[in-house]
Amino acid sequence: MLDKHQAVQSHQKKSSRQKLAKVLLATLPMLTVLGATAGLSSCGFQLRGYDTPMLFDIAKTAVIIEDNRTAFPLKLPLTRRLEALGLDVIDNMTLADIANNSNNVGADPIAAITVNNIRFKRYELVGVLTEIRLVLSADVSYQTIENGKPVTLSNPIQVERSYQYNEASVSTDDQQGNQIRDWLYDTLARRITDQYVAISLPKVAPASANKSSQTLKSPEKTTVIVPSS
């Protein structure tokens, strides 16, 4: 009986350890993401191949988005992505406010991301199942400073995704369509952030390019030994 009782206890302890290991493995990716986000917020970010972390020339960025139901859901994911890069995001300024700030001597410069004309387009291909293609478009302008002068770049961005919808189903709500809309807003925010990073990065050559240049300028001496006959 004693041996059987000990075996049961050993099995329970092993089961508990396995459950604990599963919990730790499940939480590990989230801890990694949180740690990476904290690192980005505190010390900028570093691209692979570059010697030093990348810091934006302008720390403050105003996000200017139209005040309507279609545009509003973009503000939160875009703000979160910019803040994750260590930027101080301002959401209560206009382009006129930024221009006045630029004229004030000694004021900290403020960059701007302006998003206008946010719209959805829905395309349907009716069959046994309705094929739906949902497109989210926006006109985006980036205002920053280069060599001490204001620079404005504009670029339209479009993201899309297709899915199938069974109109003959019991549920008449297009729940998948609502999820796709959320995904499109997040994807648009990522595209805007990626473009802003590309525009605002300091013009620094990657480490690999510097090493290649040094190698070409200062080639190593090669000694050739000829065997005696």
Side-chain angles (χ1 to χ4, degrees):
M1 291 292 293
L2 182 60
D3 292 340
K4 184 177 181 180
H5 180 68
Q6 290 177 345
V8 171
Q9 287 184 336
S10 176
H11 177 73
Q12 291 177 345
K13 289 180 180 180
K14 184 178 180 180
S15 177
S16 298
R17 287 196 297 268
Q18 290 176 345
K19 290 181 180 179
L20 179 60
K22 289 181 180 180
V23 172
L24 291 175
L25 289 174
T27 56
L28 182 58
M30 181 59 69
L31 294 175
T32 303
V33 171
L34 293 175
T37 303
L40 287 172
S41 301
S42 60
C43 59
F45 61 99
Q46 184 165 353
L47 295 180
R48 181 179 300 174
Y50 284 77
D51 293 327
T52 57
M54 294 296 178
L55 298 175
F56 291 96
D57 293 331
I58 303 177
K60 295 182 178 180
T61 302
V63 175
I64 304 173
I65 298 178
E66 295 172 312
D67 187 13
N68 56 56
R69 294 180 61 183
T70 304
F72 182 77
L74 176 66
K75 181 174 291 186
L76 181 58
L78 180 57
T79 300
R80 284 178 174 173
R81 288 185 175 274
L82 293 172
E83 288 179 342
L85 296 176
L87 290 168
D88 182 7
V89 179
I90 305 171
D91 63 356
N92 57 353
M93 295 189 72
T94 64
L95 290 176
D97 295 332
I98 296 174
N100 293 333
N101 180 80
S102 301
N103 295 329
N104 293 332
V105 179
D108 293 334
I110 300 176
I113 300 175
T114 306
V115 187
N116 292 317
N117 197 21
I118 300 177
R119 67 270 187 196
F120 276 100
K121 283 188 177 180
R122 178 186 172 104
Y123 303 90
E124 294 187 7
L125 180 61
V126 179
V128 178
L129 290 176
T130 301
E131 182 79 16
I132 298 176
R133 183 165 67 95
L134 201 58
V135 180
L136 177 61
S137 305
D139 299 328
V140 186
S141 296
Y142 309 90
Q143 182 175 319
T144 182
I145 296 177
E146 185 174 342
N147 298 326
K149 297 181 179 180
V151 176
T152 301
L153 299 174
S154 300
N155 186 37
I157 299 179
Q158 177 176 299
V159 293
E160 63 179 74
R161 189 164 181 176
S162 300
Y163 67 99
Q164 291 182 335
Y165 175 56
N166 186 4
E167 295 183 346
S169 62
V170 176
S171 176
T172 57
D173 294 333
D174 186 5
Q175 297 180 355
Q176 187 176 358
N178 295 332
Q179 294 174 354
I180 296 298
R181 284 175 176 263
D182 294 339
W183 182 89
L184 289 174
Y185 279 117
D186 189 68
T187 303
L188 179 61
R190 176 175 55 80
R191 290 278 301 276
I192 293 173
T193 304
D194 290 345
Q195 288 192 357
Y196 183 69
V197 168
I199 293 170
S200 303
L201 275 181
K203 306 302 183 288
V204 179
S208 58
N210 292 334
K211 292 179 181 178
S212 300
S213 177
Q214 292 175 2
T215 302
L216 292 174
K217 291 180 180 178
S218 304
E220 296 181 356
K221 294 182 179 179
T222 303
T223 303
V224 179
I225 301 176
V226 179
S228 57
S229 55

